[in-house]
Amino acid sequence: MAVETPALIVSVDYRLAPEHRLPAAYQDIVEVLQWIKTSPHELLVKYGDLSKCYIMGGSAGGNIAYHAPAFIKDVDLKPMIIEGLVLIQPYFGGTKRTESELRHVNNPTLPLHVNDVMWDLGLPDGADRDHEYCNPTVESKLGVCDWIRKLGLRVMVKGCDGDPLRDRQVELVKMMNERGIEVVSSFDEGYFHGIDVFDPSYAKSLCLAIRNFISPAHETTL
């Protein structure tokens, strides 16, 4: 991605469940952005443009990137400016099964029972899959969509038909559009959750799609 896009890539080593349940990972995004803002790292100082930044994540990282605006809203990140979010097969759920989940119950990369266990281990103690960290369509105390709109962020959502979570992602796109958020979305036929990790040609096409999304924002930080 660093080769294919005009960007410096900063990879976030966020805390993991079950030792650190949500919202720990969301809070780590704030810490990383503050580090980027003040870091004397040569690449950031010499080549970075803090006025053109994007927060990106795939799968669980897509969930984290989506929630980030609600956690950075009161943080002084100047001179950093977040221009948008890039959500690659973002990881969401809910108690009511969707058609894509039922169609892919025994999906080889993300079986439905494994998906349920992941949420049991990651959500706050006592929460079910209709907690707002998991299901963005329920009433949100954080007001994530409102903050995405207020901050003027553009959002890219990329998914595929073979992903059990596809319908969740489509619902998210619809909700953001209804809230007046600028969304660029596409859903490929076939494939599966995490395809970009296993298929170099798909990964390359994904990088090009990201490049087109952040253009003409050159020298962008993700």
Side-chain angles (χ1 to χ4, degrees), residues 1 6-8 23 60 80 85 93 96-97 116 140 147 155 173-174 183 188 197:
M1 186 171 295
L8 294 178
M80 179 183 292
L85 309 176
K96 184 179 179 180
R97 302 301 190 193
D116 292 348
S140 173
W147 283 109
V155 182
V173 170
K174 179 182 178 182
V183 183
D188 299 314
V197 178

Side-chain angles (χ1 to χ4, degrees), residues 169-183:
Q169 298 152 10
V170 171
E171 289 175 356
L172 177 70
V173 170
K174 179 182 178 182
M175 180 181 69
M176 289 192 290
N177 279 323
E178 290 173 347
R179 300 288 183 89
I181 297 169
E182 180 184 349
V183 183

Side-chain angles (χ1 to χ4, degrees), residues 198-211:
F198 300 95
D199 187 330
S201 63
Y202 186 92
K204 184 177 179 67
S205 69
L206 174 62
C207 290
L208 293 177
I210 294 170
R211 180 189 180 97

